[in-house]
Amino acid sequence: MAMVCLTDFEEYAKEHLSKATWDYYAAGADECCTRDDNLLAYKRIRLRPRILRDVSVSDTRTTVQGTEISFPVGIAPTAFHCLAWHEGEVATARATEALNTCYITSTYSTCSVEEIAAAAPNGYRWFQLYVYRDRKLSEQIVHRVEGLGYKALVLTVDVPYTGKRRDDIRNQFKLPPHLKVKNFDGVFQQETAGAEEYGIPANTLDPSISWKDVYWLQSITRLPVIIKGILTKEDAELAVEHGVSGIIVSNHGGRQLDGGPASIDALSEIVDTVQGRIEVYLDGGIRTGSDVLKALALGAKCVFIGRPAVWGLAYKGEEGLREVLQILNDEFRLSMALSGCRNVAEINRNLIQFSKL
């Protein structure tokens, strides 16, 4: 079967992954309103294409944090890639290196940060982290990724507690015995008797995390700190005041607070507040090249895909993820051209028709 669009990969993954694994990746919080709205929100946005603009040559390249990537789509941090494909994050690293884009490696990887770096030595990578009750845990991993050449830290700030994902509770989701959160291999051995949540002991995350922890993180690293999980202009302003290097507008794929905005709907107020002082990125709901175009037109510097990356892995590992990225790249290039844009610098808010709802 020809894989023509990202939905084809979604259908393949749903058919071939175990129910518990599919449900884990697909899950949203509570009634999944926000998860679903992440997709629907793009369909409410209309483009205003310009014509007769000589689009015989187009260029999809852009930069993130000063590094050039081949097109403005990276891989968002998602957990447990080995559930989708036996090589897991190693395959993800190779695919993103091959397409020359950014891979945000998850703390909850089923391969270690060392294995990922070794698999794709020339890949451009950021590392996503949480702040743990035991700050030493966070500190150790920061120093590990710094030494391995990861180029930025992405602090996820929307998980003081894990959202209520009904299917995971019904399925009593647990990592299979042959897989583990590789970055913490051996760290929690003494606590294995207690309750476990997504591969590590429950209550490991620190719900007391606050803005002072952003300063703490900056004090222990030379890497730029990017904050993931901002949805309001107030928090965007605070992020800038705290000296972060970027913001990822994100609702965690609709897996945390149900009833918040779709990430694309939160983007404009954040971009207007930040006013170019730092870069703004977005994840959540990207399924087509025109979705990418809409996000860039509304001010995102780059977007990141989560679930579609996992579908690509489920289809054919590294090769499957390459295909997903290539399809998005091709669709984005086509949408750009059909809108009259020859390069990403020509994409701006004049492309967006705000529909009167």
Side-chain angles (χ1 to χ4, degrees):
M1 184 177 96
M3 304 303 259
V4 176
C5 61
L6 268 57
T7 315
D8 292 343
F9 291 87
E10 180 178 18
E11 285 168 4
Y12 181 94
K14 184 168 189 178
E15 226 168 275
H16 290 81
L17 294 171
S18 74
K19 182 184 185 303
T21 295
W22 170 261
D23 286 349
Y24 166 72
Y25 288 134
D30 301 328
E31 297 173 295
C32 301
C33 298
T34 299
R35 177 197 69 181
D36 296 344
D37 202 37
N38 270 351
L39 300 176
L40 294 170
Y42 285 96
K43 302 187 193 331
R44 297 192 288 264
I45 298 168
R46 294 284 174 268
L47 293 163
R48 302 176 64 245
R50 300 298 306 274
I51 43 90
L52 299 175
R53 298 277 283 250
D54 182 3
V55 289
S56 53
V57 178
S58 64
D59 182 358
T60 60
R61 288 174 303 170
T62 191
T63 61
V64 285
Q65 299 295 316
T67 295
E68 185 177 283
I69 54 176
S70 63
F71 71 122
V73 179
I75 302 295
T78 51
F80 311 149
H81 290 189
C82 284
L83 284 176
W85 181 256
H86 62 97
E87 289 179 304
E89 289 81 5
V90 158
T92 310
R94 289 190 187 123
T96 43
E97 180 185 58
L99 272 97
N100 185 29
T101 191
C102 179
Y103 169 26
I104 309 178
T105 306
S106 168
T107 283
Y108 283 76
S109 293
T110 36
C111 302
S112 69
V113 287
E114 288 82 7
E115 289 166 331
I116 292 164
N122 301 310
Y124 179 59
R125 274 180 299 279
W126 299 347
F127 180 74
Q128 173 275 330
L129 78 156
Y130 291 103
V131 172
Y132 295 106
R133 289 175 193 266
D134 177 359
R135 292 288 188 278
K136 275 275 172 284
L137 269 187
S138 301
E139 205 168 325
Q140 284 161 358
I141 195 121
V142 164
H143 294 147
R144 276 166 70 188
V145 300
E146 214 168 34
L148 290 163
Y150 288 69
K151 295 293 188 254
L153 296 174
V154 175
L155 177 64
T156 299
V157 293
D158 55 5
V159 191
Y161 301 96
T162 307
K164 182 178 178 181
R165 303 166 197 169
R166 295 176 183 178
D167 284 341
D168 286 348
I169 298 167
R170 290 189 182 108
N171 295 333
Q172 299 184 307
F173 176 81
K174 264 196 169 52
L175 271 183
H178 68 284
L179 295 180
K180 45 173 108 67
V181 178
K182 263 297 193 56
N183 290 320
F184 297 132
D185 199 6
V187 173
F188 296 118
Q189 300 309 54
Q190 66 289 355
E191 302 168 46
T192 43
E196 187 191 284
E197 191 171 61
Y198 299 112
I200 65 170
N203 302 319
T204 307
L205 291 172
D206 190 349
S208 80
I209 183 173
S210 69
W211 285 104
K212 71 179 189 309
D213 293 295
V214 175
Y215 285 142
W216 168 77
L217 186 57
Q218 288 163 333
S219 77
I220 63 163
T221 184
R222 299 183 308 280
L223 294 176
V225 173
I226 294 161
I227 289 196
K228 174 179 179 287
I230 286 183
L231 292 166
T232 62
K233 60 188 179 190
E234 294 87 349
D235 283 336
E237 183 57 47
L238 283 166
V240 174
E241 287 170 14
H242 282 77
V244 306
S245 300
I247 287 170
I248 302 180
V249 178
S250 172
N251 53 36
H252 215 102
R255 295 161 78 81
Q256 283 300 104
L257 176 68
D258 198 29
S263 46
I264 191 71
D265 288 340
L267 179 61
S268 292
E269 73 169 66
I270 290 169
V271 167
D272 291 345
T273 297
V274 166
Q275 299 247 306
R277 289 174 291 173
I278 58 176
E279 291 182 349
V280 177
Y281 317 110
L282 168 139
D283 69 24
I286 296 283
R287 298 293 180 268
T288 66
S290 76
D291 293 342
V292 180
L293 183 64
K294 288 169 182 177
L296 265 66
L298 288 169
K301 182 77 166 144
C302 178
V303 301
F304 294 90
I305 55 169
R307 293 181 183 96
V310 171
W311 305 336
L313 289 175
Y315 175 59
K316 223 183 264 186
E318 177 192 342
E319 194 187 325
L321 180 49
R322 279 193 198 201
E323 277 188 58
V324 164
L325 287 167
Q326 193 58 58
I327 286 170
L328 272 180
N329 193 349
D330 294 343
E331 287 181 354
F332 173 59
R333 187 184 295 275
L334 182 58
S335 295
M336 265 175 66
L338 296 179
S339 301
C341 299
R342 288 161 292 212
N343 55 57
V344 294
E346 293 185 347
I347 301 171
N348 62 48
R349 220 175 264 193
N350 293 330
L351 270 184
I352 298 294
Q353 172 78 60
F354 290 95
S355 52
K356 296 163 188 66
L357 287 177

